[in-house]
Amino acid sequence: MASISGICSSSSPSVKPRLKPLLRATSLRRNMVSFPIRTHRIGIPPVHSVAREISSELSDDGALKNETAAPTKVKKKGLEKDPRALWLRYVDWLYQHKELGLFLDVSRVGFTDEFVAEMEPRFQAAFRAMEELEKGAIANPDEGRMVGHYWLRSPHLAPTSRLKSLIETTLDAVCDFAGDVVSGKIKPPSSPEGRFTQILSVGIGGSALGPQFVAEALAPDNPPLKIRFIDNTDPAGIDHQIAQLGPELASTLVIVISKSGGTPETRNGLLEVQKAFRDTSLDFSKQGVAITQENSLLDNTARIEGWLARFPMFDWVGGRTSEMSAVGLLPAALQGIDIREMLAGAALMDEANRATVLKKNPAALLALCWYWASDGVGSKDMVVLPYKDSLLLFSRYLQQLVMESLGNEFDLDGNRVKQGLTVYGNKGSTDQHAYIQQLREGVHNFFVTFIEVLCDRPPGHDWELEPGVTCGDYLFGMLQGTRSALYANNRESITVTVQEVTPRSVGALIALYERAVGIYASLVNINAYHQPGVEAGKKAAGEVLALQKRVLAVLNEASCKEPVEPLTLEEVAERCHAPEDVHILISCVFRNHFAFIWHVNIEMIYKIIAHMASNDRALIAEGSCGSPRSFKVFLGECNVDELYA
Ligand SMILES: O=P(O)(O)OC[C@H]1O[C@](O)(CO)[C@@H](O)[C@@H]1O
């Protein structure tokens, strides 16, 4: 058994939300936005934070309509249209990483030399910040954490020898365990096949998106183990995954992934899967693997129940940058993907991204384009279009990486900035038959990133479907045509080109965008490594479930009466609020918010009851859910246990 407990890092210190007085932009002039100079942690100079509400838009000829929106003093001008000048711009700015076979073309983004010059000091500061981060600075100040995903592929860079050996030991353990599972040395106890054939990965967000993207991109046609995912608390979705496994549940390795070890969706997925194991008389512990931080709820459960294996997550690796930790590496290795190649590709890309000359640093070039195109305030969305089916999930993966990192209400100095960069996209050329019409001719609120893969299919397999033209030529033509057509209509685009979709190039792509996010975050002075907004949603969900328990208790009590006492919504709400809400109500009345809170609660109680009624857990005595004012509700069966629990 590959249990490597004890090598996880200790759990993180408690986190306090950062509350600072809000500062506002102090002066806005017509052609320029200037802001008070502020000091900055880890060496970032002041930035021209631009209030989101100031709209900016390129007009159809590429000129800026609202000049006050410019994040720098540089005026935007129309995009270059002269073919020769454009070719020179292409050649001048083309980035190539020879060893990785990766190109980055930023020529179709209209930044000017003046803009680049103005941004230069900010880039130098961002490079210094990245350097400090890699040396182990507390780059996630709210949570008091280091940010160390770069060490995962270059352990020698880890700030202590303990961390270095932790990374290396974990990687070895992942490889050994995966090798033993694939070879059949580690086998499920009661499978007729005598070896594991399936992986069921249970996790959400950063504990799912990386493994999903990599599986889609790199899993061979006949992997040693096939993978499927439970990444939600949707019971029907979970049932579907379990039903699809059918009798192969007996040969399924269940990998439960959660950095915190307490995410409700993941816990629910685990409980549902464990029930499915019980229902089929299978011993879950012999087939369960946990990837989590040491001593988390999940870790303790796995240890106490004696699961097959446990692998560590580190508090200095964020969920959305965890693909190169056990989170991504274990599922990938089990599918026969060369994870050391993935790590090598990422390490090479990291190395390139340490260049302090803008033109030689691909991540910085991306950040420059994002800043230019979205005015440094996310005023334009990033549409990601990989022209390759296997990269379908790249945009979804990037959506979390970019939006959960950059979407921030406050900057590092406590100013309300409401930052972000919206990401969406699926794949080309498929999307040309969906929304490219709007991109070409409709609202101009985006820039595009094309991902191009030069090699169409393995050598020896291609054929011409018409003289001189292959199927892949069409895909190539669609990409180039769309890029040109968009540009002709002043729509900017970036093109990232890789030779092939391989573990090495996928590792490099992940590393490229991880670093671009880090650099961009420095440019706009935000903490890219926390996600306070997500916590608010989780907390609110907890409150809804707590309210549901109270509603259930009230209905139980009324339904146990002889005769049963059906209740209106108002009656349920009133009984729910006593006695523990009295305090809340008094303070709400005191602050003149009573009506609002009452309204929200009664609406929520209505939704709770409607949901229970839809699932046969509450019965409507009078009226219907469609007329909430009048309906009366009771529970079908009086649950005395619950009532007196
Ligand atoms: O790995 P965990 O702790 O279950 O968290 C899953 C995801 O939830 C988030 O915290 C957002 O809720 C992501 O950042 C994270 O990747």
Side-chain angles (χ1 to χ4, degrees):
M1 187 173 100
S3 176
I4 50 172
S5 63
I7 67 166
C8 300
S9 61
S10 57
S11 54
S12 59
S14 61
V15 176
K16 279 200 184 139
R18 189 186 161 83
L19 292 174
K20 272 202 157 194
L22 306 180
L23 301 176
R24 262 286 177 216
T26 52
S27 73
L28 292 177
R29 278 185 279 135
R30 175 149 174 70
N31 291 326
M32 191 177 86
V33 181
S34 66
F35 286 79
I37 292 179
R38 302 172 192 114
T39 51
H40 191 285
R41 65 190 75 232
I42 54 175
I44 312 280
V47 292
H48 299 270
S49 310
V50 175
R52 177 65 205 240
E53 51 266 36
I54 307 167
S55 72
S56 76
E57 172 70 0
L58 280 179
S59 65
D60 278 353
D61 65 359
L64 196 70
K65 274 192 212 156
N66 178 357
E67 292 177 2
T68 58
T72 70
K73 292 166 206 143
V74 176
K75 258 179 86 172
K76 285 198 171 180
K77 60 175 192 172
L79 296 177
E80 180 62 67
K81 293 290 166 59
D82 173 58
R84 184 160 172 77
L86 209 46
W87 164 244
L88 291 177
R89 181 176 172 81
Y90 175 79
V91 176
D92 190 26
W93 280 97
L94 186 65
Y95 171 85
Q96 181 193 12
H97 194 301
K98 285 209 176 96
E99 209 176 334
L100 285 169
L102 181 143
F103 297 82
L104 174 61
D105 161 30
V106 294
S107 65
R108 264 48 174 190
V109 177
F111 54 81
T112 58
D113 292 347
E114 199 191 352
F115 174 78
V116 174
E118 190 181 320
M119 294 295 284
E120 179 61 19
R122 295 192 209 176
F123 274 103
Q124 290 308 323
F127 297 149
R128 283 194 297 278
M130 294 308 292
E131 199 184 324
E132 288 180 42
L133 175 149
E134 286 198 318
K135 283 187 189 152
I138 301 297
N140 180 355
D142 292 15
E143 301 181 357
R145 293 181 212 229
M146 298 187 291
V147 173
H149 48 275
Y150 301 111
W151 311 328
L152 296 170
R153 48 265 193 167
S154 304
H156 64 280
L157 292 180
T160 66
S161 54
R162 185 181 150 271
L163 290 185
K164 176 177 178 282
S165 96
L166 210 53
I167 296 164
E168 290 170 343
T169 323
T170 306
L171 177 59
D172 289 344
V174 163
C175 291
D176 291 349
F177 180 79
D180 288 349
V181 168
V182 170
S183 71
K185 188 170 163 199
I186 296 178
K187 43 169 87 67
S190 45
S191 147
E193 282 90 356
R195 65 175 195 88
F196 283 107
T197 58
Q198 299 274 348
I199 305 162
L200 183 56
S201 173
V202 185
I204 195 167
S207 293
L209 288 160
Q212 286 168 334
F213 162 51
V214 166
E216 186 80 14
L218 295 174
D221 292 341
N222 290 303
L225 279 85
K226 292 200 178 92
I227 193 162
R228 49 180 65 250
F229 294 90
I230 290 177
D231 65 354
N232 199 356
T233 184
D234 172 12
I238 295 171
D239 291 347
H240 177 67
Q241 295 303 331
I242 293 171
Q244 293 278 305
L245 286 169
E248 272 192 281
L249 193 63
S251 59
T252 297
L253 188 71
V254 183
I255 307 181
V256 187
I257 308 176
S258 175
K259 177 182 171 181
S260 61
T263 301
E265 292 94 328
T266 305
R267 183 206 69 143
N268 296 355
L270 167 62
L271 294 180
E272 293 272 357
V273 173
Q274 285 183 318
K275 179 174 181 301
F277 269 72
R278 278 197 304 278
D279 290 350
T280 41
S281 304
L282 292 167
D283 181 352
F284 178 85
S285 68
K286 302 284 187 297
Q287 296 178 222
V289 174
I291 303 177
T292 185
Q293 289 190 109
E294 189 181 33
N295 289 330
S296 72
L297 191 59
L298 173 60
D299 188 45
N300 291 336
T301 305
R303 193 184 55 246
I304 292 162
E305 293 179 1
W307 291 15
L308 184 56
R310 289 180 288 135
F311 295 90
M313 254 298 258
F314 312 117
D315 84 329
W316 39 267
V317 174
R320 54 190 171 272
T321 52
S322 65
E323 178 50 32
M324 308 275 166
S325 72
V327 169
L329 298 180
L330 181 64
L334 288 163
Q335 293 168 85
I337 296 166
D338 188 338
I339 57 174
R340 292 201 188 262
E341 270 293 289
M342 257 172 72
L343 292 166
L348 280 170
M349 179 51 74
D350 288 344
E351 217 173 291
N353 287 331
R354 284 185 198 107
T356 55
V357 176
L358 180 60
K359 271 190 175 171
K360 293 189 175 159
N361 183 323
L365 285 172
L366 279 183
L368 175 83
C369 293
W370 298 356
Y371 197 106
W372 170 268
S374 77
D375 300 324
V377 292
S379 63
K380 292 227 176 3
D381 304 342
M382 175 157 74
V383 183
V384 179
L385 284 175
Y387 276 63
K388 188 53 76 182
D389 285 2
S390 63
L391 296 181
L392 171 71
L393 297 184
F394 193 41
S395 47
R396 209 166 145 202
Y397 170 77
L398 289 181
Q399 201 167 52
Q400 188 210 23
L401 176 64
V402 175
M403 295 177 74
E404 199 170 76
S405 301
L406 300 182
N408 270 265
E409 183 171 7
F410 299 103
D411 72 8
L412 280 161
D413 297 322
N415 306 304
R416 176 176 274 119
V417 289
K418 293 194 177 290
Q419 267 292 353
L421 188 58
T422 304
V423 179
Y424 65 91
N426 296 303
K427 61 171 176 164
S429 68
T430 313
D431 288 354
Q432 287 178 221
H433 302 271
Y435 57 81
I436 301 284
Q437 162 66 26
Q438 176 173 317
L439 299 195
R440 173 69 167 68
E441 296 181 356
V443 57
H444 185 180
N445 59 355
F446 68 93
F447 63 98
V448 173
T449 303
F450 293 105
I451 312 285
E452 179 186 32
V453 181
L454 291 176
C455 181
D456 293 331
R457 51 163 54 128
H461 288 80
D462 220 353
W463 63 286
E464 294 180 353
L465 31 82
E466 54 193 71
V469 182
T470 65
C471 192
D473 293 339
Y474 268 93
L475 190 67
F476 166 79
M478 295 294 181
L479 188 162
Q480 297 306 332
T482 304
R483 173 175 173 268
S484 301
L486 289 175
Y487 190 76
N489 217 15
N490 299 308
R491 273 59 175 157
E492 296 171 301
S493 67
I494 300 163
T495 303
V496 181
T497 302
V498 292
Q499 193 67 34
E500 278 179 82
V501 180
T502 60
R504 189 170 272 240
S505 64
V506 166
L509 282 174
I510 290 172
L512 173 63
Y513 277 86
E514 282 177 351
R515 185 75 65 138
V517 166
I519 292 176
Y520 184 85
S522 285
L523 295 179
V524 299
N525 190 29
I526 54 129
N527 177 0
Y529 309 106
H530 67 170
Q531 54 284 326
V534 184
E535 303 311 317
K538 284 185 191 169
K539 193 165 164 265
E543 281 160 12
V544 172
L545 293 177
L547 180 59
Q548 173 167 318
K549 285 185 183 158
R550 295 217 303 276
V551 169
L552 214 49
V554 165
L555 289 177
N556 241 327
E557 197 172 340
S559 304
C560 284
K561 288 195 175 150
E562 266 309 329
V564 170
E565 183 192 9
L567 299 176
T568 63
L569 276 180
E570 270 82 6
E571 285 164 342
V572 175
E574 247 165 55
R575 294 181 195 194
C576 275
H577 284 127
E580 66 265 46
D581 276 350
V582 169
H583 170 74
I584 299 170
L585 285 177
I586 289 170
S587 54
C588 288
V589 170
F590 177 69
R591 296 162 77 182
N592 219 6
H593 285 151
F594 172 81
F596 173 71
I597 295 290
W598 178 256
H599 172 74
V600 167
N601 277 351
I602 201 161
E603 181 181 314
M604 193 56 77
I605 288 168
Y606 164 64
K607 285 173 190 266
I608 287 168
I609 289 174
H611 177 243
M612 289 200 303
S614 302
N615 288 281
D616 297 333
R617 289 154 64 206
L619 298 176
I620 307 295
E622 273 173 42
S624 75
C625 285
S627 50
R629 272 180 211 284
S630 60
F631 81 59
K632 287 193 168 185
V633 66
F634 67 103
L635 289 188
E637 268 176 46
C638 168
N639 187 340
V640 180
D641 287 348
E642 216 165 274
L643 187 58
Y644 295 106

